[in-house]
Amino acid sequence: MQQTLAHDYNLAPHAATRPALEVNQLSAGYPSDRYAVENLSFTVQRGERVAIIGPNGAGKSTMFKAIVGLIPFTHGEISIHGEDCRTSHSMVGYVPQHEAIDWSFPVTVTDVVMMGRTRQIGWFRLPGSNDRVAVHDILEMLGLSHLAKRQIGELSGGQKRRVFIARALAQQTDILLMDEPFTGVDSTAEQEIMAVLDVLTEQNITILLATHNMNRAAEHFGSMLLMNRCNMAYGPPSEVLKPEVLRQAYSSAVRVVQDGTETLIIADEHGHAHGLD
């Protein structure tokens, strides 16, 4: 995974100096019940890697879908490189939860990644040589070129996640949203995915990744956003993973035990937060 990912768009001069993502007072979801996300605000700088944590139902998936335009938001603002997200969705790649994808659909790995090139190819047009080269380079970079002709449903869990990361990157995006990519994969697949994220971070790609594993988040991410519909805490892991903050976010679903070495043990049956060792 030594290859460099080339982008085929240029940011406006002012955008290059703006944060990659700004969310301001965002409310999204279904107001007939209550918003899944309400008054959420945070800012992510270019090239930053942020872990999104919180209990089930905290609104993590809703937030991602609002950012990429899959659902409308009712209040607030989302800007991408200083531009309204409604006009800049193409700058954001999205890897949905594993359960949200129909893995039985008969397409190859190359087909899946090429789907990310739709904006460049245009509707009802065939991929050109530039598109084929772009897909080949991305598969090579992510260590997937040997699987190019395999059916997507035949792959392991970790390989499938990497293919969908490749599809998101094929958009020529520099912001990547990943919703629970580690769920249901073994430790080897986790390491492979983290190796991919390290490569992308070296290329200054901004990454937001939702996870329930606080240990992994604290070890591999410089910033964490703890949310439960709204922003409960945002910053370095040392500032977010505090007993009083976690109790407020997880309520009765979490039990925090702290010993003399400041080890946090998270016992959670409903919010699915994992331990921090």
Side-chain angles (χ1 to χ4, degrees):
M1 292 188 289
Q2 301 297 322
Q3 208 155 347
T4 300
L5 182 66
H7 300 298
D8 66 356
Y9 63 83
N10 294 313
L11 296 177
H14 77 281
T17 62
R18 296 291 301 270
L21 174 67
E22 294 178 275
V23 175
N24 184 33
Q25 296 296 305
L26 176 69
S27 293
Y30 304 97
S32 58
D33 182 11
R34 69 173 189 171
Y35 292 115
V37 173
E38 190 166 18
N39 297 324
L40 178 67
S41 298
F42 65 97
T43 300
V44 182
Q45 301 299 326
R46 291 191 68 197
E48 194 173 2
R49 197 153 82 178
V50 180
I52 314 296
I53 62 174
N56 278 354
K60 300 184 290 293
S61 296
T62 297
M63 176 189 71
F64 280 172
K65 291 175 181 177
I67 292 172
V68 298
L70 292 178
I71 63 172
F73 55 92
T74 52
H75 299 287
E77 299 176 339
I78 303 173
S79 63
I80 299 168
H81 296 304
E83 303 292 336
D84 189 310
C85 74
R86 297 176 181 88
T87 62
S88 53
H89 289 312
S90 62
M91 292 185 182
V92 183
Y94 175 51
V95 180
Q97 291 185 14
H98 182 267
E99 295 78 10
I101 300 168
D102 181 3
W103 298 109
S104 65
F105 198 70
V107 290
T108 67
V109 167
T110 296
D111 293 334
V112 171
V113 179
M114 190 66 74
M115 291 174 187
R117 300 285 300 174
T118 300
R119 178 173 62 91
Q120 290 82 1
I121 297 170
W123 294 104
F124 309 114
R125 296 180 60 186
L126 295 175
S129 58
N130 289 341
D131 302 302
R132 289 190 289 271
V133 169
V135 169
H136 174 272
D137 289 348
I138 292 170
L139 291 175
E140 186 75 21
M141 184 184 69
L142 300 190
L144 294 167
S145 57
H146 65 293
L147 301 173
K149 296 182 180 181
R150 292 277 297 276
Q151 294 287 316
I152 188 68
E154 297 173 356
L155 304 188
S156 69
Q159 290 169 337
K160 290 175 180 175
R161 267 64 161 202
R162 287 158 58 199
V163 169
F164 270 76
I165 294 173
R167 186 186 72 161
L169 295 177
Q171 298 176 212
Q172 304 293 351
T173 178
D174 67 353
I175 302 175
L176 181 63
L177 311 182
M178 304 179 65
D179 198 352
E180 299 289 349
F182 301 114
T183 300
V185 300
D186 59 24
S187 59
T188 299
E190 289 183 11
Q191 293 171 8
E192 292 174 350
I193 295 170
M194 284 309 311
V196 168
L197 299 187
D198 289 341
V199 170
L200 301 183
T201 297
E202 290 175 0
Q203 298 187 29
N204 208 34
I205 292 177
T206 306
I207 299 170
L208 283 75
L209 184 149
T211 179
H212 286 297
N213 192 307
M214 295 184 186
N215 181 50
R216 184 189 299 108
E219 182 178 356
H220 296 288
F221 291 78
S223 299
M224 301 177 71
L225 169 64
L226 172 60
M227 59 182 293
N228 191 350
R229 298 178 59 225
C230 63
N231 182 341
M232 306 296 293
Y234 183 48
S238 59
E239 296 180 5
V240 174
L241 297 178
K242 293 181 177 180
E244 62 272 18
V245 177
L246 294 171
R247 290 191 185 99
Q248 183 179 8
Y250 286 87
S251 187
S252 60
V254 67
R255 181 169 57 87
V256 182
V257 179
Q258 190 169 29
D259 62 20
T261 63
E262 298 187 342
T263 297
L264 297 177
I265 302 172
I266 310 301
D268 173 30
E269 296 180 356
H270 304 289
H272 298 298
H274 297 171
L276 173 64
D277 299 321

Short mmCIF file of all heavy atoms in Angstrom, two decimals, residues 3-9 117 134 137-138 141 169 172-173 203:
data_model
loop_
_atom_site.label_atom_id
_atom_site.label_comp_id
_atom_site.label_asym_id
_atom_site.label_seq_id
_atom_site.Cartn_x
_atom_site.Cartn_y
_atom_site.Cartn_z
N GLN A 3 1.13 3.31 -2.88
CA GLN A 3 0.74 4.21 -3.94
C GLN A 3 0.06 5.46 -3.40
O GLN A 3 -0.52 5.46 -2.32
CB GLN A 3 -0.22 3.50 -4.90
CG GLN A 3 -0.17 4.05 -6.30
CD GLN A 3 -0.61 2.99 -7.30
OE1 GLN A 3 -0.70 1.82 -6.97
NE2 GLN A 3 -0.85 3.41 -8.51
N THR A 4 0.16 6.54 -4.13
CA THR A 4 -0.45 7.80 -3.73
C THR A 4 -1.79 7.97 -4.42
O THR A 4 -1.92 7.71 -5.61
CB THR A 4 0.46 8.99 -4.08
OG1 THR A 4 1.69 8.83 -3.38
CG2 THR A 4 -0.17 10.31 -3.68
N LEU A 5 -2.78 8.43 -3.67
CA LEU A 5 -4.10 8.67 -4.23
C LEU A 5 -4.15 10.06 -4.82
O LEU A 5 -3.90 11.05 -4.14
CB LEU A 5 -5.16 8.53 -3.12
CG LEU A 5 -6.61 8.70 -3.55
CD1 LEU A 5 -7.03 7.58 -4.47
CD2 LEU A 5 -7.50 8.76 -2.33
N ALA A 6 -4.44 10.14 -6.11
CA ALA A 6 -4.50 11.45 -6.79
C ALA A 6 -5.94 11.90 -6.87
O ALA A 6 -6.83 11.15 -7.25
CB ALA A 6 -3.91 11.34 -8.19
N HIS A 7 -6.19 13.17 -6.52
CA HIS A 7 -7.53 13.74 -6.62
C HIS A 7 -7.66 14.48 -7.94
O HIS A 7 -6.73 15.14 -8.39
CB HIS A 7 -7.78 14.72 -5.47
CG HIS A 7 -7.69 14.07 -4.13
ND1 HIS A 7 -8.53 13.06 -3.74
CD2 HIS A 7 -6.86 14.28 -3.09
CE1 HIS A 7 -8.22 12.68 -2.51
NE2 HIS A 7 -7.21 13.40 -2.10
N ASP A 8 -8.84 14.42 -8.56
CA ASP A 8 -9.03 15.10 -9.84
C ASP A 8 -9.83 16.38 -9.71
O ASP A 8 -10.39 16.89 -10.65
CB ASP A 8 -9.69 14.16 -10.86
CG ASP A 8 -11.12 13.79 -10.48
OD1 ASP A 8 -11.56 14.19 -9.40
OD2 ASP A 8 -11.77 13.09 -11.28
N TYR A 9 -9.92 16.93 -8.48
CA TYR A 9 -10.54 18.23 -8.33
C TYR A 9 -9.62 19.10 -7.50
O TYR A 9 -8.76 18.62 -6.77
CB TYR A 9 -11.91 18.12 -7.66
CG TYR A 9 -11.86 17.60 -6.25
CD1 TYR A 9 -11.59 18.43 -5.17
CD2 TYR A 9 -12.07 16.25 -5.99
CE1 TYR A 9 -11.53 17.94 -3.88
CE2 TYR A 9 -12.01 15.76 -4.70
CZ TYR A 9 -11.75 16.60 -3.66
OH TYR A 9 -11.67 16.12 -2.37
N ARG A 117 -17.18 6.06 -9.25
CA ARG A 117 -16.76 6.99 -10.32
C ARG A 117 -17.95 7.57 -11.09
O ARG A 117 -17.75 8.24 -12.10
CB ARG A 117 -15.86 6.24 -11.31
CG ARG A 117 -14.59 5.68 -10.72
CD ARG A 117 -13.56 6.74 -10.47
NE ARG A 117 -13.17 7.46 -11.68
CZ ARG A 117 -12.36 8.52 -11.67
NH1 ARG A 117 -11.89 8.98 -10.53
NH2 ARG A 117 -12.05 9.13 -12.81
N ALA A 134 -7.93 4.82 -12.57
CA ALA A 134 -8.20 5.28 -11.21
C ALA A 134 -8.61 4.13 -10.30
O ALA A 134 -8.13 4.00 -9.17
CB ALA A 134 -9.29 6.36 -11.22
N ASP A 137 -5.63 1.87 -9.59
CA ASP A 137 -4.70 2.46 -8.64
C ASP A 137 -5.21 2.36 -7.21
O ASP A 137 -4.45 2.09 -6.26
CB ASP A 137 -4.45 3.93 -9.00
CG ASP A 137 -3.61 4.09 -10.25
OD1 ASP A 137 -3.04 3.07 -10.72
OD2 ASP A 137 -3.53 5.21 -10.78
N ILE A 138 -6.52 2.57 -7.03
CA ILE A 138 -7.10 2.50 -5.69
C ILE A 138 -7.05 1.07 -5.16
O ILE A 138 -6.71 0.83 -4.00
CB ILE A 138 -8.54 3.04 -5.69
CG1 ILE A 138 -8.52 4.55 -5.96
CG2 ILE A 138 -9.24 2.75 -4.37
CD1 ILE A 138 -9.88 5.15 -6.23
N MET A 141 -3.55 0.36 -4.16
CA MET A 141 -3.18 1.06 -2.94
C MET A 141 -3.72 0.36 -1.69
O MET A 141 -3.05 0.30 -0.65
CB MET A 141 -3.69 2.50 -2.99
CG MET A 141 -3.27 3.34 -1.80
SD MET A 141 -3.99 4.98 -1.83
CE MET A 141 -5.71 4.62 -1.53
N LEU A 169 -13.36 6.21 -1.99
CA LEU A 169 -12.21 6.96 -2.47
C LEU A 169 -12.27 7.19 -3.98
O LEU A 169 -11.71 8.17 -4.48
CB LEU A 169 -10.92 6.23 -2.11
CG LEU A 169 -10.61 6.09 -0.61
CD1 LEU A 169 -9.35 5.28 -0.42
CD2 LEU A 169 -10.49 7.46 0.04
N GLN A 172 -12.99 10.46 -5.63
CA GLN A 172 -11.96 11.49 -5.53
C GLN A 172 -12.27 12.43 -4.36
O GLN A 172 -12.13 13.65 -4.45
CB GLN A 172 -11.84 12.28 -6.84
CG GLN A 172 -11.56 11.43 -8.06
CD GLN A 172 -10.18 10.78 -8.02
OE1 GLN A 172 -9.35 11.09 -7.18
NE2 GLN A 172 -9.93 9.87 -8.96
N THR A 173 -12.68 11.83 -3.25
CA THR A 173 -13.00 12.59 -2.06
C THR A 173 -11.77 12.73 -1.16
O THR A 173 -10.83 11.94 -1.26
CB THR A 173 -14.11 11.89 -1.28
OG1 THR A 173 -14.39 12.62 -0.08
CG2 THR A 173 -13.69 10.49 -0.85
N GLN A 203 -1.97 10.66 3.56
CA GLN A 203 -2.34 11.44 2.38
C GLN A 203 -3.27 12.61 2.71
O GLN A 203 -3.88 13.21 1.82
CB GLN A 203 -2.99 10.52 1.34
CG GLN A 203 -2.03 9.43 0.86
CD GLN A 203 -2.61 8.64 -0.28
OE1 GLN A 203 -3.40 9.14 -1.07
NE2 GLN A 203 -2.23 7.39 -0.39
#
